[in-house]
Amino acid sequence: MKKTKTVNQQVPSVDGKGIMMGRPAFTDDLTPRNALVIKVLRSPHAFAKITSIDTSEAERIEGVELILTHKDFKRNAYTRAGQGYPEPSPHDKFVLDEYVRYVGDEVAAVAAVDEATAEAAVKAIDVEYEKLDPVLDFETAKDNDTLVHPEDDIYEMFPIGFDPKRNVAASYHMEVGDVEKTLSESEITVENTYYTQAQAHVMLEPHTVNAQLDYQNRLVLISATQTPWHVRRILSQTLEIPLSRIRVIKPRVGGGFGGKQAIHGEMLAAAVTMRTGQPSRLTYTREEVFESSYTRHPMRMTIRMGAKRDGTITSIDFHGLSDTGAYGEHALTVYMVTGSKVLPLYNKVDAVRFQGDIVYTNHVSSGAYRGYGAVQGNYAVESTIDMLAEKLGMDPFALREKNMMLENETSPIFEIMGEGTEGTAMVMESNKLDYCVARGKELIGYDEKYPRRETGESKVRSIGGAIAMQGSGIPYIDMGAATIKLNDDGFYNLTVGATDIGQGSDTILAQIAAEQLGVAVDKVIVYSSDTDLTPFDVGAYASSTTYVSGNAVLKAARSMRRMVIDEAARTLDVNAEDITFEGEVFKVEGSAPLTLSDLSNRLYYNEDQKQLTTTGSYYGTKSPPPFMAGFVEIELDTETGEYEILEYASVVDCGTTINPALARGQVEGGLMQGIGMAAFEDVEYSKKGKMITGDLLNYKIPTNLSVKKFTTEFADSYEESGPYGAKSVAEIGTDTPPAAIANAVYNAVGVRIDSLPITPEKIQKAMNDKKENDV
Amino acid sequence: MKINQLKQVETLDEAYRLLNEDRRNVVIAGGAWLKMSSRTVETGIDLSNLSLDYIEETPEALRIGSMTTLRQLETHAGVRALYKGMLSTSISQIMGVGLRNLVTIGGSIIGKYGFSDVLPALLAMETSLVFHSQGEIPLEDFLESKGRINDVLVSINIRKKKGVGYFKKVKQTALAFATLNIAVSRSEGLYKIAIGSRPSVATLAREAMEEVNLAESVDDETIARAAEHATSLKFSSNPSASEDYRAILARVYTGRGLKEVRDCED
Amino acid sequence: MKISLTLNNRPKTFDVAPDEYLVDTLRRYGYTSVRRGCDTTSCGVCTLLVDDKPVPSCAFLSARADGARLTTVEGIPETASKLAEHFGERGADQCGFCNPGIALAVHSMEQSGMPADDATIDHYLVGNLCRCTGYQSQREAIKAYLGDKK
């Protein structure tokens, strides 16, 4: 790789200081002081039909400005998913509906002068429900007597297997080769079924939005969203407001992880402000974030794997079932990624099949969540690989090394499976998985420590690992754009649609621009995501920003560089080719140098005045996967099943790291969410379908004591199609912990935990059962 | 929670009178747990002006004002010296430092919270509570009492004895409620075992205590029998753990705790 | 009811309800660096220094702050700025929603002269949740900041 000054260098984030110093930044910091407070009356029942709503008492409370019920909205089915359009998610949701489909579903909304008044009014609304039998077990959802969506005015945008009369939100099937035949001919086969749980995103900033009408009488929303353009489009289509009358501003966002890809309070805030003319605000309580936003899709996955005795894997059969909850956001696409971003890892098989249904239940809706299916699939496949290795009498990483996809190889799955549609064939031009595995083994001390060592009375230490891949945006769908503007004094504005939600994209996009323009990062003032002011971007999801938006920035910066050189040539009256330009000074042999600052001052004040501005846009024609190998060392208490994570070592191939420190932050943050999912995070419901883990006292996320040590390294890798060789790094960290920890537990005490989370209680019980069976 | 009015009382008498005047009146200690309840409080009785945040040490006892914060206790040299710091250890594992700066020892006791980490440690020592009207009663009696508390807790007395202690909180993360917590102590040749978060409120494991206290020598076999007795306490299931698993944890950690305090020098 | 206090060393008088908490009072008066995270004292986002001690402002009754000395992150600009530089060097600043709370906790740690070792930092900061970083980069940054100050 060519030597770089800014890219792949340690550069502090552009916004870290202001945020740390407490500057107003987040949506709720920017809410107009006189905004009406919106509070939502939510369903106490898992499934019910509203037979009457009496708002008269609530309307009489002084300070109540508006109450909205399903009677106030035209029935326009939509999806909150916040995906490319037309969406691969069914349009199965109404702003407010006469049916409520989970505990926490919206019944009515109150807008009042303050929180206390709004809360009092919510309590004063009298609703009568006809309670219906809910579907609370996703394994019995298909063809259940209860239909979660009995209504007829819902639809799919294109075929996704949508069959609401069978409680099926989407369905998928693909097969390469003949799996049944290959399996039956396999010398060794293994089969196991895995369950993954609902996981909550727990971004620390709750879902927050405010709305107001500006002096042009346009609707302006400030929203904590990952997808401002999707928000604008969905609002326009659903509330029937012309797109040109809506502006969505994304300020600083306090974490998203997929949870803010979908729209949440935006619809009600927009409706309140449109009807009252007054500014409004809707901030979810933490309980609402848990009960009334999204979780990760719970799944059941049955894997059958066949191999030759020499360790050649010949076939994989993946049969799953996914619980989309009350609404079908991301139902098909998350499930497809469960296969498409896991199965290509073993590309040498003769046959592979992937199929399953995604079913409706009366649980809180499942949605996009970092990892997006890949983490579920990885757990199932990478656990099974270890089982197969044991049956073969092979080291599990020797088995992986023998079968995994390498550089310049491909998998037929890429062409078959996209996200909701067909995929795109591609060859792995950058894939350092072999290095990642070898280096990861060194870092964790695999050869010395695998599989286990006794470390004291009732203590054992063990190693487990897994490999993973993800993607970099969705080819031919995800698009990003960037505009660069030259200012007097010679600094630039970079405006991007790409949505910084805390992952640091403003910083790395500024670095890409600064590198190409040859200036320091502080000469590139970055501003992200305002549907009026910045160019389009689909948003922060699908690990797309570095690769897709980064390429758009690179194109814009290349173009701006040409533009300033052309202007300098005109000013100096020389040919552009004769100019040497690093970024700050235009040099021509035999004449005095011209600085960019002087050039720009002339352009804006003195001669041949003009504004220099240029826009670049980009969509991927492939989605180069990042790869990683993750290894965990645990210490397990053989009496209680409790275990401690001593070290998580990972080696990641994400191409060039634009900002190594931020890339490390993405990997370790992703790992920690994967570890939470693997070890203890669990959204749980009562028998009646009420979430019983709806606050941070009862839903546990990792703390600073949850992992003793992360060791994180990056492979030396360069992806030709990426900006300065970069691929994505946002999601891949999430993928390996469930399988790695399950494998480590197995290596410690010989029990395979095939449902998440892997709790001490499950381990202890499995050890006990094993002991009884052995006797 | 809704509080219609907040009264910063000037005397304990006033607090006592207000508490008994209206059943909807409540003494507000740190206020953290009360916040989680959905009740409406008529008058919140605030004791912050009564100088009840003190730790006094006499040769025989530690006298702790009921409004002393957990963080004050955790970092107090006298508390840290008691039973090898068993109480400090238990407190140091409760949520974060910020919360411990807010939460008081009085509030932590009076709520009889099942998840309480201080109660097992206090039970495994000799602790009594001093109420404004009722006077001094042993902590154990208070925990077994039923009904609304119509009295104002003034101080907590812990007998200063030469002894050693062990505290274990089994938990899913550092901020989680205990799956089970246990305190084991040995003082003047007598062992105490208190187990909490069963998930109901902490209690002494009397059968297990008897097993060791009546034994001629506390060898590993005695401890194993005592640990087995600990499983006969009442445990139940909640999302953190099942009844059976709690019983297993009680057995394992009773055994480990007994061994540790047996082998620990005074 | 009216309360008088000092906020970042300036005298202030606020009108508060008996069941109002400091996080709400401060936000209502425009001090938006104190943010709501969880409503259950579990996350540390709303951390505020009351008489130099960190507390969750979501559970501190405003009426009880009469006469108190409150400090928000705006009151410790030097600490916040320096700490931000250390966070920046290690990529420890992601969404930053939790950062003002962390800065206040670190400031309090520094003021009370605690050792800057991993165990002390972890113990003191365990109540300040972060969902972005995985904590290790934060721990390194805080350690470096406290080390610099010695």
Side-chain angles (χ1 to χ4, degrees):
Chain A
M1 184 181 133
K2 200 173 85 195
K3 200 169 162 328
T4 49
K5 281 188 194 152
T6 309
V7 156
N8 194 230
Q9 302 296 320
Q10 196 276 308
V11 171
S13 60
V14 295
D15 39 33
K17 190 168 273 196
I19 302 275
M20 180 79 83
M21 294 180 81
R23 309 299 184 217
F26 299 92
T27 299
D28 201 48
D29 304 349
L30 308 171
T31 296
R33 298 279 280 278
N34 60 342
L36 296 175
V37 176
I38 301 172
K39 285 280 168 189
V40 180
L41 173 63
R42 297 190 177 277
S43 170
H45 306 300
F47 193 27
K49 188 173 183 182
I50 297 167
T51 53
S52 80
I53 303 187
D54 180 359
T55 59
S56 54
E57 195 190 323
E59 304 264 12
R60 280 196 294 273
I61 298 174
E62 190 184 334
V64 172
E65 295 287 315
L66 181 70
I67 297 176
L68 293 169
T69 71
H70 67 88
K71 296 172 200 155
D72 297 302
F73 291 94
K74 196 171 149 186
R75 279 181 74 80
N76 259 344
Y78 76 108
T79 175
R80 299 173 293 181
Q83 294 170 288
Y85 183 76
E87 299 99 337
S89 295
H91 282 220
D92 59 4
K93 170 96 173 78
F94 301 90
V95 180
L96 294 174
D97 193 2
E98 61 184 328
Y99 283 96
V100 283
R101 295 185 178 78
Y102 66 97
V103 177
D105 206 350
E106 297 125 327
V107 174
V110 172
V113 292
D114 57 33
E115 199 161 320
T117 310
E119 277 170 1
V122 162
K123 284 204 183 84
I125 299 172
D126 191 19
V127 187
E128 279 175 33
Y129 299 94
E130 178 196 342
K131 282 199 266 175
L132 303 167
D133 273 342
V135 182
L136 297 172
D137 172 3
F138 77 115
E139 296 188 86
T140 64
K142 192 176 181 181
D143 296 328
N144 196 291
D145 289 341
T146 293
L147 284 188
V148 177
H149 285 275
E151 69 277 15
D152 290 321
D153 46 355
I154 55 175
Y155 54 91
E156 58 192 336
M157 301 295 283
F158 54 85
I160 57 169
F162 178 60
D163 192 357
K165 301 299 178 215
R166 303 184 70 186
N167 281 334
V168 173
S171 186
Y172 187 76
H173 174 95
M174 77 95 197
E175 184 166 2
V176 177
D178 186 337
V179 164
E180 290 301 341
K181 182 167 175 286
T182 317
L183 272 174
S184 68
E185 291 165 358
S186 294
E187 291 166 342
I188 306 280
T189 56
V190 286
E191 174 175 349
N192 202 20
T193 296
Y194 303 87
Y195 288 84
T196 61
Q197 80 281 39
Q199 182 185 20
H201 300 74
V202 199
M203 68 298 277
L204 284 180
E205 179 200 27
H207 304 292
T208 309
V209 61
N210 64 62
Q212 54 195 306
L213 288 166
D214 70 8
Y215 64 93
Q216 292 183 11
N217 213 31
R218 292 171 76 236
L219 178 67
V220 180
L221 276 92
I222 301 180
S223 178
T225 180
Q226 295 175 224
T227 57
W229 277 267
H230 292 327
V231 168
R232 184 176 68 169
R233 173 178 47 76
I234 297 165
L235 286 179
S236 168
Q237 289 169 347
T238 310
L239 297 177
E240 299 181 345
I241 307 166
L243 205 64
S244 62
R245 304 304 295 167
I246 307 173
R247 174 181 178 190
V248 178
I249 299 168
K250 174 227 63 109
R252 184 63 174 193
V253 175
F257 317 120
K260 291 172 180 167
Q261 178 174 353
I263 79 166
H264 297 277
E266 288 93 340
M267 203 63 82
L268 290 171
V272 164
T273 290
M274 291 300 287
R275 284 167 201 236
T276 61
Q278 298 183 62
S280 67
R281 64 190 286 190
L282 177 47
T283 302
Y284 278 29
T285 62
R286 182 53 63 183
E287 190 181 16
E288 287 179 304
V289 176
F290 275 109
E291 285 194 3
S292 305
S293 66
Y294 291 93
T295 70
R296 191 187 289 291
H297 289 77
M299 290 188 194
R300 181 191 70 202
M301 296 162 285
T302 299
I303 310 291
R304 291 192 297 160
M305 218 176 262
K308 295 186 194 158
R309 236 172 237 116
D310 69 357
T312 305
I313 301 173
T314 50
S315 59
I316 305 176
D317 186 27
F318 190 126
H319 195 145
L321 180 72
S322 173
D323 177 359
T324 192
Y327 301 99
E329 290 98 346
H330 300 267
L332 176 65
T333 41
V334 164
Y335 186 64
M336 284 180 76
V337 169
T338 304
S340 68
K341 297 215 163 94
V342 181
L343 295 171
L345 283 168
Y346 300 103
N347 63 331
K348 296 169 188 69
V349 294
D350 300 322
V352 54
R353 179 165 61 186
F354 177 78
Q355 60 186 327
D357 291 324
I358 307 94
V359 293
Y360 286 118
T361 63
N362 293 105
H363 283 150
V364 61
S365 215
S366 303
Y369 190 167
R370 192 182 208 172
Y372 203 82
V375 57
Q376 291 97 321
N378 194 282
Y379 168 56
V381 168
E382 287 295 279
S383 293
T384 310
I385 290 283
D386 265 40
M387 291 173 67
L388 180 63
E390 190 186 27
K391 215 163 171 183
L392 287 162
M394 260 177 101
D395 176 279
F397 275 87
L399 177 63
R400 286 184 176 89
E401 284 173 311
K402 187 177 170 70
N403 290 280
M404 69 195 187
M405 182 166 60
L406 298 173
E407 199 155 70
N408 297 319
E409 293 184 358
T410 187
S411 157
I413 292 171
F414 293 125
E415 190 173 352
I416 297 168
M417 296 178 73
E419 289 196 29
T421 55
E422 283 177 5
T424 308
M426 59 179 169
V427 170
M428 300 299 97
E429 281 165 44
S430 60
N431 177 355
K432 306 295 179 198
L433 200 44
D434 48 352
Y435 171 81
C436 295
V437 168
R439 179 64 182 149
K441 285 170 72 177
E442 273 172 35
L443 289 175
I444 202 78
Y446 190 91
D447 291 340
E448 307 85 73
K449 295 176 181 171
Y450 176 85
R452 90 183 64 78
R453 297 169 296 156
E454 311 278 329
T455 45
E457 202 184 327
S458 69
K459 294 272 185 197
V460 53
R461 286 188 182 190
S462 67
I463 300 284
I467 57 174
M469 61 177 281
Q470 197 76 2
S472 300
I474 308 168
Y476 298 102
I477 292 180
D478 288 346
M479 188 279 245
T483 296
I484 297 179
K485 174 169 75 101
L486 176 71
N487 293 288
D488 47 329
D489 203 31
F491 71 98
Y492 301 97
N493 286 115
L494 168 65
T495 54
V496 290
T499 309
D500 195 321
I501 54 170
Q503 81 281 46
S505 65
D506 282 354
T507 301
I508 65 116
L509 295 178
Q511 281 179 265
I512 290 169
E515 181 70 41
Q516 180 62 28
L517 292 165
V519 295
V521 175
D522 64 1
K523 295 271 174 154
V524 179
I525 310 304
V526 62
Y527 177 74
S528 62
S529 308
D530 177 328
T531 58
D532 270 8
L533 303 184
T534 69
F536 183 91
D537 194 293
V538 289
Y541 59 85
S543 288
S544 61
T545 303
T546 302
Y547 183 74
V548 175
S549 312
N551 265 320
V553 170
L554 185 59
K555 282 171 82 175
R558 278 192 185 127
S559 156
M560 177 53 72
R561 191 183 172 93
R562 277 194 303 272
M563 288 169 88
V564 294
I565 291 173
D566 286 349
E567 286 304 327
R570 249 191 289 281
T571 303
L572 294 169
D573 199 18
V574 296
N575 288 330
E577 301 80 64
D578 296 334
I579 295 179
T580 316
F581 178 62
E582 295 284 328
E584 297 280 2
V585 186
F586 304 92
K587 291 179 195 155
V588 182
E589 241 180 58
S591 69
L594 172 69
T595 66
L596 177 65
S597 170
D598 286 345
L599 172 71
S600 53
N601 286 336
R602 284 165 70 112
L603 280 175
Y604 295 115
Y605 291 110
N606 306 122
E607 274 176 58
D608 193 20
Q609 286 96 322
K610 68 182 66 151
Q611 172 67 58
L612 295 194
T613 182
T614 182
T615 297
S617 59
Y618 184 85
Y619 64 93
T621 55
K622 59 177 189 168
S623 178
F627 295 93
M628 83 175 269
F631 295 85
V632 68
E633 182 178 18
I634 62 169
E635 181 169 76
L636 194 144
D637 185 319
T638 54
E639 284 187 279
T640 65
E642 292 169 277
Y643 59 95
E644 211 181 350
I645 295 165
L646 302 176
E647 182 176 1
Y648 208 102
S650 42
V651 183
V652 180
D653 165 11
C654 61
T656 302
T657 52
I658 302 291
N659 185 316
L662 289 175
R664 174 193 158 195
Q666 286 300 300
V667 173
E668 291 178 1
L671 283 169
M672 200 57 126
Q673 287 181 7
I675 287 166
M677 177 181 178
F680 42 76
E681 291 187 41
D682 199 0
V683 170
E684 292 181 87
Y685 295 90
S686 72
K687 287 197 181 75
K688 289 184 167 177
K690 157 95 178 148
M691 196 185 284
I692 51 176
T693 50
D695 59 47
L696 274 172
L697 294 171
N698 291 293
Y699 188 87
K700 276 79 67 174
I701 66 167
T703 74
N704 62 7
L705 297 172
S706 296
V707 175
K708 280 228 147 78
K709 184 182 175 197
F710 283 112
T711 303
T712 308
E713 286 191 7
F714 294 93
D716 188 4
S717 171
Y718 192 91
E719 169 58 38
E720 269 312 323
S721 67
Y724 293 104
K727 299 187 278 188
S728 85
V729 69
E731 295 184 87
I732 187 146
T734 320
D735 297 341
T736 56
I741 292 173
N743 291 338
V745 167
Y746 186 84
N747 291 337
V749 288
V751 298
R752 181 148 297 281
I753 307 301
D754 44 26
S755 71
L756 297 183
I758 302 164
T759 61
E761 179 166 357
K762 284 182 192 168
I763 297 169
Q764 201 282 334
K765 186 168 183 309
M767 287 191 300
N768 227 11
D769 292 350
K770 182 169 177 266
K771 215 182 285 169
E772 279 169 19
N773 288 340
D774 288 351
V775 169
Chain B
M1 181 200 52
K2 183 148 179 48
I3 305 171
N4 289 331
Q5 59 171 326
L6 191 74
K7 179 71 187 159
Q8 289 179 324
V9 295
E10 297 304 323
T11 64
L12 281 165
D13 275 338
E14 187 187 358
Y16 182 76
R17 187 174 48 73
L18 278 171
L19 184 63
N20 285 284
E21 204 173 80
D22 188 331
R23 290 184 67 85
R24 293 168 302 167
N25 294 355
V26 171
V27 174
I28 296 181
W33 295 123
L34 191 64
K35 176 189 151 77
M36 319 295 173
S37 81
S38 53
R39 64 202 289 186
T40 295
V41 172
E42 183 48 41
T43 300
I45 305 162
D46 184 355
L47 308 181
S48 4
N49 285 353
L50 301 182
S51 305
L52 292 176
D53 55 334
Y54 57 82
I55 305 172
E56 282 173 11
E57 234 180 315
T58 67
E60 293 80 35
L62 276 179
R63 228 161 59 83
I64 302 158
S66 62
M67 290 293 281
T68 306
T69 67
L70 293 186
R71 182 71 180 159
Q72 279 174 287
L73 278 174
E74 175 191 354
T75 53
H76 187 270
V79 176
R80 293 166 76 111
L82 273 178
Y83 291 76
K84 303 263 180 210
M86 174 170 58
L87 181 59
S88 300
T89 304
S90 75
I91 291 172
S92 72
Q93 296 179 47
I94 299 172
M95 306 287 281
V97 169
L99 190 78
R100 302 202 292 276
N101 277 326
L102 189 70
V103 170
T104 64
I105 183 68
S108 304
I109 292 171
I110 212 91
K112 298 179 188 168
Y113 301 108
F115 54 79
S116 171
D117 294 317
V118 290
L119 289 176
L122 290 172
L123 278 173
M125 299 188 286
E126 231 171 86
T127 306
S128 60
L129 309 181
V130 179
F131 285 92
H132 178 60
S133 161
Q134 254 184 295
E136 186 161 352
I137 64 165
L139 174 64
E140 284 167 66
D141 294 358
F142 169 74
L143 291 179
E144 279 160 24
S145 67
K146 299 270 186 289
R148 179 176 188 258
I149 299 148
N150 296 312
D151 209 342
V152 181
L153 179 60
V154 183
S155 68
I156 294 93
N157 292 347
I158 306 173
R159 270 274 303 278
K160 265 167 78 176
K161 291 166 85 174
K162 204 165 170 300
V164 294
Y166 162 94
F167 178 82
K168 173 70 189 181
K169 176 180 188 176
V170 179
K171 55 189 185 286
Q172 290 186 317
T173 75
L175 298 185
F177 291 134
T179 303
L180 190 94
N181 49 26
I182 173 166
V184 182
S185 70
R186 174 173 62 79
S187 175
E188 294 162 3
L190 281 183
Y191 290 81
K192 279 190 175 187
I193 302 158
I195 301 179
S197 220
R198 300 173 291 123
S200 53
V201 71
T203 184
L204 289 173
R206 292 183 189 283
E207 285 178 43
M209 282 160 56
E210 259 178 44
E211 184 73 47
V212 276
N213 287 332
L214 298 179
E216 277 179 25
S217 85
V218 183
D219 51 25
D220 286 1
E221 289 72 40
T222 310
I223 286 178
R225 282 195 304 276
E228 207 52 54
H229 284 310
T231 64
S232 64
L233 287 175
K234 167 113 185 71
F235 299 99
S236 41
S237 301
N238 71 355
S240 299
S242 70
E243 179 185 344
D244 291 350
Y245 185 60
R246 284 198 161 91
I248 290 164
L249 291 174
R251 174 171 52 71
V252 171
Y253 285 106
T254 299
R256 290 183 189 176
L258 284 169
K259 280 184 190 163
E260 182 167 317
V261 299
R262 176 194 66 190
D263 300 338
C264 184
E265 279 178 38
D266 285 330
Chain C
M1 57 205 291
K2 284 217 183 315
I3 55 167
S4 296
L5 44 79
T6 64
L7 176 60
N8 300 332
N9 289 322
R10 300 297 308 152
K12 300 280 174 192
T13 302
F14 297 141
D15 203 3
V16 303
D19 50 3
E20 187 170 347
Y21 293 96
L22 277 175
V23 63
D24 298 314
T25 307
L26 289 169
R27 288 194 74 78
R28 197 157 54 76
Y29 280 92
Y31 301 93
T32 55
S33 70
V34 184
R35 300 190 175 100
R36 293 193 85 100
C38 72
D39 313 311
T40 52
T41 70
S42 317
C43 76
V45 162
C46 69
T47 298
L48 177 75
L49 301 185
V50 176
D51 297 330
D52 302 328
K53 293 192 198 82
V55 295
S57 64
C58 74
F60 199 107
L61 284 167
S62 302
R64 285 182 156 185
D66 190 40
R69 190 171 66 255
L70 309 189
T71 311
T72 67
V73 79
E74 288 92 337
I76 54 159
E78 278 179 33
T79 301
S81 167
K82 276 267 169 275
L83 186 61
E85 284 165 22
H86 287 286
F87 269 54
E89 274 175 34
R90 289 161 185 80
D93 45 355
Q94 289 193 41
C95 88
F97 201 69
C98 63
N99 284 5
I102 288 173
L104 287 162
V106 169
H107 184 76
S108 150
M109 228 188 128
E110 182 188 344
Q111 296 298 343
S112 41
M114 293 185 178
D117 57 69
D118 288 352
T120 310
I121 293 168
D122 284 347
H123 186 70
Y124 205 77
L125 272 294
V126 73
N128 292 79
L129 289 176
C130 167
R131 189 61 155 168
C132 293
T133 62
Y135 299 105
Q136 184 158 292
S137 52
Q138 278 188 356
R139 181 187 301 124
E140 289 166 8
I142 293 166
K143 194 171 169 180
Y145 166 82
L146 292 170
D148 268 11
K149 288 289 194 162
K150 293 226 159 160

